[in-house]
């Protein structure tokens, strides 16, 4: 039977990428949209690592299932690492991708050093707490204008040094080969058998012990007195 793992996100771009990246593994990948309303996790960690663990653990605990979370973002050298952990909300709390891109391009006006990288930390957690962590990074540059239609987030302004085009000009297969998320998952995939064994052990350990009926086995019920 395939192991159920919940992908702790509602981000459709991430969901599609994870589904493609994990399609050959013996897992049944669910995501938060497959369940009823679940409270939002506050992503207030100072690092991708903190937030990934927070999201994975919260989801694993609330659903009682192993969960995988990705915290990722764009790190721009000329902006001292911004937007970093604030990538999703760079232009404000409910910012859309185009708002974040607009703000980024404004901040980059006049900057000659356009070096940037996407970073990703994956956390795979079980409800009792322990987690495994994998990291991935990909280098590139911020373009001067939007290029390409595909992908999500900052893809239209991230020129990938590996692909020689922006992530939004690349197919999902091309992007997944070199992306931060693709690399973090490739690292996890290289030891996926171990991960599945680890998950199974942790989930079995957390199961409540089977009820012990031995003390009743030799009981002579006929002698039991029921007093009112
Ligand atoms: P979840 O927390 O539900 O997973 P999110 O969109 O809030 O979804 P993050 O907190 O990890 O995800 O924020 C990551 C942001 O960084 C994301 O919203 C994008 O703006 C950007 N980002 C991350 N990976 C990206 C990618 O592959 N391409 C483009 N932008 C990306």
């Amino acid at each position: 039977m395939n192991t159920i793992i919940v992908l702790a996100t509602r981000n459709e771009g991430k969901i599609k990428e994870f589904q493609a990246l994990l399609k050959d593994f013996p897992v049944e990948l669910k995501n938060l949209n497959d369940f009823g309303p679940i409270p939002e996790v506050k992503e207030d960690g100072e690092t991708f690592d903190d937030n990934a663990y927070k999201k994975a653990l919260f989801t694993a605990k609330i659903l009682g299932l192993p969960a995988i979370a990705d915290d990722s973002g764009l790190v721009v050298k000329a902006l001292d690492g911004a937007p970093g952990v604030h990538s999703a909300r760079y232009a404000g709390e409910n910012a859309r991708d185009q708002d974040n891109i607009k703000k980024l391009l404004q901040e980059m006006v006049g900057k000659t050093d356009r070096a940037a990288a996407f970073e990703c930390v994956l956390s795979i957690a079980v409800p009792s707490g322990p987690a495994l962590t994998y990291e991935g990074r990909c280098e590139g540059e911020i373009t001067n204008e939007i290029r390409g239609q595909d992908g999500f987030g900052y893809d239209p302004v991230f020129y990938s040094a590996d692909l020689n085009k922006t992530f939004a000009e690349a197919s999902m297969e091309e992007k997944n080969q070199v992306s931060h998320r693709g690399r973090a998952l490739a690292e996890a995939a290289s030891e996926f058998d171990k991960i599945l064994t680890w998950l199974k052990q942790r989930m079995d350990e957390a199961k409540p012990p089977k009820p012990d009926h031995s003390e009743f086995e030799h009981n002579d019920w006929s002698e039991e007195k029921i007093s009112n």
Side-chain angles (χ1 to χ4, degrees):
M1 199 177 73
N2 284 353
T3 306
I4 297 178
I5 304 185
V6 184
L7 184 52
T9 189
R10 294 185 199 278
N11 179 323
E12 287 297 335
K14 285 187 185 180
I15 293 170
K16 280 197 199 117
E17 290 185 11
F18 271 103
Q19 281 168 340
L21 285 160
L22 286 175
K23 71 177 176 0
D24 295 328
F25 291 96
V27 289
E28 189 181 335
L29 198 63
K30 306 239 179 230
N31 64 70
L32 295 182
N33 298 324
D34 294 321
F35 300 89
I38 295 174
E40 289 283 320
V41 189
K42 203 155 193 263
E43 292 185 41
D44 53 3
E46 284 181 11
T47 62
F48 294 122
D49 209 332
D50 291 345
N51 284 333
Y53 179 59
K54 218 177 156 185
K55 286 192 257 190
L57 182 62
F58 180 83
T59 304
K61 271 192 189 303
I62 216 158
L63 295 175
L65 289 167
I68 178 165
D70 143 317
D71 199 55
S72 46
L74 183 67
V75 174
V76 181
K77 196 167 159 216
L79 302 178
D80 298 324
V85 287
H86 306 293
S87 293
R89 295 165 298 279
Y90 192 38
E93 209 36 58
N94 296 313
R96 297 162 305 164
D97 288 344
Q98 54 266 51
D99 304 323
N100 288 330
I101 287 178
K102 192 168 162 215
K103 171 155 181 183
L104 177 68
L105 291 180
Q106 273 163 3
E107 297 287 334
M108 291 301 285
V109 169
K111 307 273 191 225
T112 44
D113 183 354
R114 306 202 57 104
F118 270 125
E119 293 185 10
C120 168
V121 175
L122 284 186
S123 179
I124 305 176
V126 289
S128 54
L132 302 172
T133 301
Y134 298 89
E135 293 178 15
R137 182 182 160 94
C138 62
E139 307 287 339
E141 280 181 16
I142 304 302
T143 53
N144 288 305
E145 72 288 301
I146 285 171
R147 278 166 44 185
Q149 307 284 328
D150 291 332
F152 70 99
Y154 299 90
D155 282 346
V157 289
F158 183 80
Y159 171 87
S160 158
D162 296 293
L163 297 178
N164 223 0
K165 51 183 153 185
T166 69
F167 271 175
E169 292 171 315
S171 66
M172 189 164 57
E173 290 70 31
E174 288 173 317
K175 179 182 169 188
N176 282 347
Q177 295 260 321
V178 301
S179 79
H180 47 316
R181 192 167 303 104
R183 286 183 172 147
L185 255 181
E187 208 195 310
S190 69
E191 53 180 34
F192 216 73
D193 289 348
K194 272 198 227 158
I195 296 177
L196 290 177
T197 309
W198 182 87
L199 284 178
K200 199 173 165 339
Q201 281 169 353
R202 297 289 91 74
M203 295 301 288
D204 284 349
E205 276 166 18
K207 278 190 189 142
K210 288 219 174 83
D212 179 3
H213 296 254
S214 57
E215 65 180 283
F216 301 118
E217 266 162 23
H218 306 293
N219 223 351
D220 182 355
W221 293 99
S222 60
E223 297 200 347
E224 198 96 342
K225 300 245 170 25
I226 301 168
S227 53
N228 290 316

